[in-house]
Amino acid sequence: MAHNTYKTTAKKKPKKTEKKRRSFNFFKDKRLHLAVGFFLIVASLYLMTAFLAFLFTGKADQSVVESVLEDNIKMAGLETENWLGLVGALSSYLFIYRWFGIASFLIPPLLFVAGYKIVFHRALLPPYRTFKFVAFFLVWTSLLLGYMVYHREALAEWSFLGGGVGYEMAVLSYSMIGWGTLLLLGFALVVFVIYFFNITYLFKRQPRVASAREEPVSAVETYSLATNPFTPANPAKEPPALDFTVTPPKEEKISPPADNIPLDVEEPPVAEEEPPLDLFLEEVSEEKKASKAENYDPTLDLPKFRYPEPGLLSRYDNEKVQVTKQELEANKDKIVETLINFKIGISSIKATIGPTVTLYEIVPEAGIKISKIKNLEDDIALSLSALGIRIIAPIPGKGTIGIEVPNKNREVVSMYSVVTTEKFMRSNHELPIILGKTVTNELYIADLAKMPHILIAGATGQGKSVGLNVLLTSLIYKRHPSQLKFVLVDPKKVELTLFNKIERHYLAKLSNNDEAIITDTKKVIYTLNSLCIEMDNRYDLLKDAGCRNMREYNMKFVQRKLNPNQGHRFLPYIVLIIDELADLMMTAGKEVETPIARLAQLARAIGIHLVVATQRPSVNVITGIIKANFPVRLSFRVTSKVDSRTILDTGGAEQLVGMGDTLLSVNSDLVRLQCPYIDTAEVENICDFIGSQRGYESAYILPEYVGDESDSSDVTEVDLKNRDPLFDDAARLIVHHQQGSTSLIQRKMKLGYNRAGRLIDQLEAAGVVGAFEGSKAREVLIPDEYSLEQLLNNLAT
């Protein structure tokens, strides 16, 4: 979390402040602190020994040390016994004898790793980390072995161990610092371990109670925290608020002056040390490992899959809240003065600093109507000269009225800052998605599996597409490809194209689609209807397994209680994301609305979830059928109050300040959030990282759907003499189950939709099933298998 910084000096130019902050970032590095600490310890031991020795050998040491020059390289003879001839002998002579000794054996693996990465576009080991490891131990090992050879005559014939470079470095080091060379080697190893393995979290400090940069408050301005009704109940978890007050208002005044009302400021929580990255990995006990070995593990399809690392995400300089004491006091005075002008008295006011806005909670005097304050929204915005003023009257669960005022210098909530939080790393949600930070700087994480669908709206350029990228990224960071699939619909053709690279890992599509990102309207219709078929097939599987939802079904399948030979399989979650619904509704209308509404109504239990976004939340786009089945709505800034009411059923979205500022409606409660920011380069890094790994043979294939024309085909033209080889088996299956549906044939006989459709047409022409009746299953005209066999025999003759 970010700190609140109060400035007492005159205003400074923003550019100078940014340069100064960047210049001191290096000195805040915790690894540097550890390295300097170890250096001081080693230096103290070395200097104390040197000072004691000076008392006895100081006069004898007044001499000049001669430098040692390296000999020139002599050419080897033509006769050599090296397996690789003269070049091999010369290379090994230079690297081992003249340069780095046996440490040179680290160079070939480094070259192999680099070459493998260039040729196959896959990394056996992280190239940059491997280079740092080899570079350090090439020098460190050479110096250590050279030092040993220099001090041990018995090792003279093994002088090549440290190489020429190692030996010369050992001689130089010993002549300068004596046996302090060993201290230097130990110190270098400790510093390398600190930086290479990033072990700063072992020395994590306790969170501070109060900010070191708090301004001193005089005794006249301080009143007891115990009498402050807004003091946090648990000071150990939340830093105490800063209180600014002057003498209390006189009782005879109905509306005290603004200067006499105390401002209780609640600072943002102190930024925690970053938790270790191994929190991304699930801790599995030995008992769980034993039970897991007996169960089916879908992740073994891609056993070497590595989740993306947080290092693929960027950090930003302005990731801290920059709200000064002067800004807080000025806003407080203007709010109070505006209310006083309209005869509204206030007994107390409290400020909570958020990443985008500061929430001022006021307690009006007795007898003041809430509606009277609510109607002053425009007047308060005018007095503050700010856009995005929003009044919450009253705040749910509190006896206060909230006024949200945008900060002059807003915080950038980076994707890195939220992904590396312990709250996200340890999240046990089925489908955890990051929606942003609240006004109180708390990370808001929701479970898409419980929502179960989200409707997103926002005008152009307000952060809607970035929000979709954040949602996709947060799911990718927490779920294995075997557990999650995306169906991406992008009519704009440019927003989701980067995710093409993870097609063989996370995407789902129709078998006849060349591109996994769906942009053509007709293919969108086919894909939506295909998802409806997938939904029906999954419900049939749940019915056969005796389960109520997909979670119970997968649990049975993992415990090997369901037989794959009977059509059962592990079911991954499917998340359908539509980036622009308005375009689809204009071009397709009911053909798109009907399957979306059907999926929204029924697909929750079988793990299909919808995220639908639009930049035009009008009633002809977000129809009543769609809106009724999306209980969770997320709105970025919109252009009018009418659009806000369409998406949220209330106003407020038109007052947002843009750039990721959002309102989340959950169960009729509104929560204001600042959506994290992730740019195109970060998304590309993540997709490249995943795409470079081994994936499935293809994307997840959805059931085939050929459109309405297959239903209107003339069955009288079916030639029963050219029946499908599986005609008899399909007929027996239909009569046995007394259910005439294409999906039954497709699922039980493991056929594509086209072939199953042709079979059902042939069965209709033969009189086994009745005519097409829309969404209902066809009537089975053959009552039993005996009658069916008679019919099949007649067809065969």
Side-chain angles (χ1 to χ4, degrees):
M1 299 295 181
H3 299 282
N4 178 32
T5 306
Y6 294 111
K7 301 178 181 178
T8 57
T9 57
K11 294 182 178 179
K12 298 181 181 179
K13 295 182 179 180
K15 291 184 179 179
K16 292 183 178 180
T17 304
E18 292 177 3
K19 288 181 180 179
K20 183 175 292 185
R21 190 181 302 117
R22 284 195 296 266
S23 64
F24 283 99
N25 281 343
F26 172 75
F27 297 102
K28 298 178 182 179
D29 193 335
K30 304 302 179 186
R31 298 173 297 183
L32 176 64
H33 298 172
L34 287 176
V36 172
F38 278 110
F39 172 76
L40 294 177
I41 293 173
V42 173
S44 64
L45 295 174
Y46 182 82
L47 290 176
M48 177 59 70
T49 305
F51 293 162
L52 290 174
F54 182 81
L55 299 177
F56 303 97
T57 64
K59 294 181 180 180
D61 287 340
Q62 301 297 319
S63 61
V64 178
V65 179
E66 296 182 354
S67 61
V68 179
L69 300 177
E70 295 183 356
D71 296 332
N72 294 327
I73 299 176
K74 298 179 180 180
M75 295 187 63
L78 295 177
E79 297 181 359
T80 179
E81 296 183 6
N82 190 284
W83 299 339
L84 298 180
L86 180 60
V87 176
L90 181 59
S91 301
S92 58
Y93 172 80
L94 289 176
F95 276 98
I96 297 178
Y97 188 81
R98 297 291 296 174
W99 292 344
F100 303 111
I102 61 172
S104 300
F105 281 96
L106 294 171
I107 296 177
L110 175 64
L111 298 178
F112 182 82
V113 169
Y116 191 89
K117 170 68 175 177
I118 294 173
V119 174
F120 298 102
H121 301 285
R122 297 179 182 178
L124 294 175
L125 296 170
Y128 182 62
R129 286 174 61 85
T130 306
F131 173 77
K132 291 192 296 184
F133 183 90
V134 170
F136 174 79
F137 280 102
L138 199 66
V139 177
W140 190 86
T141 306
S142 180
L143 176 57
L144 176 63
L145 295 177
Y147 185 84
M148 295 173 60
V149 170
Y150 179 70
H151 282 278
R152 297 289 182 182
E153 294 182 1
L155 296 176
E157 61 184 46
W158 298 88
S159 59
F160 67 90
L161 290 176
V165 172
Y167 184 83
E168 295 297 336
M169 285 193 302
V171 173
L172 178 62
S173 175
Y174 186 78
S175 65
M176 298 296 294
I177 58 176
W179 60 265
T181 302
L182 296 177
L183 289 177
L184 176 63
L185 288 169
F187 165 71
L189 182 61
V190 170
V191 172
F192 176 79
V193 171
I194 292 172
Y195 273 84
F196 192 78
F197 296 102
N198 193 10
I199 62 171
T200 57
Y201 64 88
L202 295 176
F203 301 90
K204 181 176 179 180
R205 297 175 300 174
Q206 295 295 327
R208 62 185 178 88
V209 177
S211 174
R213 289 179 283 182
E214 292 178 1
E215 292 187 354
V217 183
S218 63
V220 179
E221 295 176 322
T222 307
Y223 59 93
S224 172
L225 288 175
T227 62
N228 182 6
F230 297 106
T231 302
N234 191 351
K237 293 184 178 179
E238 188 174 1
L242 297 179
D243 306 309
F244 305 94
T245 183
V246 193
T247 54
K250 297 181 180 179
E251 295 181 358
E252 61 269 16
K253 289 186 179 181
I254 298 177
S255 300
D259 292 340
N260 291 342
I261 296 180
L263 175 63
D264 179 18
V265 180
E266 184 175 330
E267 286 188 323
V270 179
E272 298 180 356
E273 297 283 348
E274 294 177 4
L277 299 183
D278 57 2
L279 287 181
F280 277 110
L281 303 177
E282 182 182 1
E283 296 180 1
V284 183
S285 63
E286 294 299 329
E287 296 180 359
K288 287 185 177 180
K289 288 180 180 179
S291 62
K292 199 171 183 181
E294 299 176 358
N295 296 335
Y296 170 77
D297 186 1
T299 62
L300 293 180
D301 293 341
L302 298 177
K304 295 183 179 180
F305 176 81
R306 291 188 299 141
Y307 289 89
E309 301 171 354
L312 299 171
L313 301 170
S314 303
R315 300 187 186 185
Y316 300 92
D317 294 335
N318 52 342
E319 290 190 27
K320 293 185 179 180
V321 179
Q322 300 292 326
V323 181
T324 64
K325 177 183 176 182
Q326 288 78 8
E327 181 181 345
L328 292 172
E329 289 289 354
N331 288 341
K332 184 263 294 185
D333 292 343
K334 291 176 182 178
I335 292 173
V336 174
E337 288 173 4
T338 302
L339 296 176
I340 289 176
N341 292 337
F342 289 89
K343 312 293 186 189
I344 298 175
I346 298 175
S347 60
S348 64
I349 184 170
K350 171 188 176 182
T352 303
I353 302 171
T356 305
V357 298
T358 296
L359 175 64
Y360 294 87
E361 297 181 50
I362 62 175
V363 178
E365 293 182 344
I368 301 296
K369 292 184 177 180
I370 294 178
S371 59
K372 192 174 181 181
I373 300 177
K374 180 68 175 176
N375 294 333
L376 296 177
E377 191 170 74
D378 294 335
D379 298 282
I380 295 175
L382 178 63
S383 66
L384 293 172
S385 302
L387 296 174
I389 301 295
R390 196 172 75 99
I391 295 181
I392 311 170
I395 297 177
K398 295 184 178 181
T400 60
I401 295 174
I403 302 176
E404 294 175 345
V405 181
N407 300 331
K408 291 182 179 179
N409 300 313
R410 63 191 300 170
E411 172 189 353
V412 173
V413 180
S414 67
M415 193 65 187
Y416 179 89
S417 66
V418 294
V419 164
T420 55
T421 58
E422 187 169 347
K423 183 175 183 180
F424 177 72
M425 290 180 177
R426 293 194 183 277
S427 172
N428 57 359
H429 294 324
E430 289 293 314
L431 295 175
I433 55 174
I434 298 173
L435 296 179
K437 281 188 177 181
T438 65
V439 174
T440 58
N441 266 281
E442 295 179 1
L443 182 60
Y444 194 101
I445 300 176
D447 190 353
L448 182 59
K450 294 181 180 179
M451 282 185 160
H453 314 294
I454 307 179
L455 190 59
I456 301 176
T460 303
Q462 303 303 317
K464 185 173 73 280
S465 296
V466 173
L468 291 177
N469 288 339
V470 169
L471 186 147
L472 284 163
T473 302
S474 55
L475 288 174
I476 289 173
Y477 264 94
K478 292 293 290 183
R479 284 293 165 258
H480 191 273
S482 63
Q483 303 166 339
L484 174 65
K485 302 296 176 184
F486 297 114
V487 177
L488 302 182
V489 177
D490 183 15
K492 291 186 286 189
K493 303 181 181 180
V494 294
E495 297 294 344
L496 301 176
T497 52
L498 288 175
F499 293 95
N500 264 324
K501 299 175 183 177
I502 62 173
E503 174 181 340
R504 295 183 299 108
H505 298 81
Y506 283 102
L507 300 191
K509 67 175 185 178
L510 293 174
S511 59
N512 56 353
N513 278 6
D514 295 330
E515 297 290 335
I517 310 297
I518 308 161
T519 57
D520 182 72
T521 303
K522 196 165 190 66
K523 290 183 179 180
V524 172
I525 297 172
Y526 288 179
T527 302
L528 292 176
N529 284 280
S530 175
L531 283 173
C532 291
I533 297 172
E534 174 75 10
M535 176 181 70
D536 294 335
N537 292 343
R538 289 190 174 199
Y539 269 116
D540 289 339
L541 291 175
L542 263 63
K543 178 182 176 182
D544 293 344
C547 300
R548 297 181 58 190
N549 54 57
M550 192 188 79
R551 189 172 184 179
E552 293 179 5
Y553 177 87
N554 279 342
M555 190 176 298
K556 275 191 174 182
F557 189 85
V558 167
Q559 294 172 354
R560 303 186 186 277
K561 296 180 180 179
L562 300 175
N563 191 348
N565 295 327
Q566 297 178 358
H568 292 291
R569 55 193 170 90
F570 183 84
L571 303 178
Y573 284 98
I574 298 178
V575 178
L576 168 64
I577 295 182
I578 301 177
D579 189 25
E580 186 48 70
L581 178 64
D583 182 76
L584 298 178
M585 294 295 290
M586 287 179 61
T587 55
K590 290 291 183 182
E591 292 181 279
V592 169
E593 180 184 3
T594 301
I596 288 179
R598 189 160 182 261
L599 288 170
Q601 289 170 345
L602 301 174
R604 173 181 182 175
I606 44 83
I608 300 178
H609 304 279
L610 280 64
V611 179
V612 179
T614 180
Q615 64 181 1
R616 195 182 59 181
S618 54
V619 291
N620 60 336
V621 175
I622 303 177
T623 62
I625 296 177
I626 292 178
K627 190 175 178 180
N629 293 288
F630 284 80
V632 178
R633 291 87 174 267
L634 183 69
S635 179
F636 293 81
R637 186 183 181 186
V638 295
T639 55
S640 66
K641 185 173 289 187
V642 175
D643 288 346
S644 177
R645 287 175 178 168
T646 302
I647 181 67
L648 298 176
D649 293 328
T650 185
E654 78 282 357
Q655 297 288 351
L656 300 174
V657 296
M659 297 178 65
D661 190 17
T662 64
L663 281 176
L664 176 68
S665 174
V666 183
N667 299 325
S668 300
D669 293 334
L670 286 183
V671 181
R672 191 166 187 173
L673 302 170
Q674 175 59 46
C675 178
Y677 176 72
I678 181 171
D679 64 13
T680 304
E682 294 174 78
V683 176
E684 191 171 9
N685 290 340
I686 294 172
C687 292
D688 287 341
F689 180 84
I690 295 175
S692 64
Q693 302 182 52
R694 176 181 171 271
Y696 295 98
E697 294 298 326
S698 65
Y700 184 85
I701 301 301
L702 298 173
E704 291 185 39
Y705 179 81
V706 293
D708 294 336
E709 59 271 13
S710 64
D711 298 330
S712 59
S713 59
D714 189 2
V715 298
T716 60
E717 298 179 359
V718 175
D719 186 5
L720 292 179
K721 294 182 180 179
N722 296 323
R723 297 189 301 275
D724 191 287
L726 297 178
F727 176 85
D728 293 357
D729 294 337
R732 294 186 181 97
L733 177 67
I734 292 296
V735 173
H736 176 73
H737 288 273
Q738 286 294 302
Q739 180 183 349
S741 69
T742 306
S743 62
L744 177 66
I745 296 177
Q746 184 181 1
R747 180 168 59 85
K748 292 294 186 179
M749 303 183 70
K750 298 180 181 179
L751 301 177
Y753 188 83
N754 290 336
R755 189 174 183 184
R758 289 192 297 269
L759 279 169
I760 206 74
D761 289 340
Q762 293 176 5
L763 291 172
E764 180 183 352
V768 178
V769 297
F772 176 73
E773 299 181 10
S775 59
K776 295 182 180 179
R778 295 171 184 255
E779 181 184 1
V780 181
L781 303 179
I782 304 299
D784 51 46
E785 296 181 359
Y786 177 76
S787 301
L788 174 64
E789 293 300 328
Q790 288 182 329
L791 175 63
L792 295 178
N793 291 333
N794 293 334
L795 291 174
T797 57

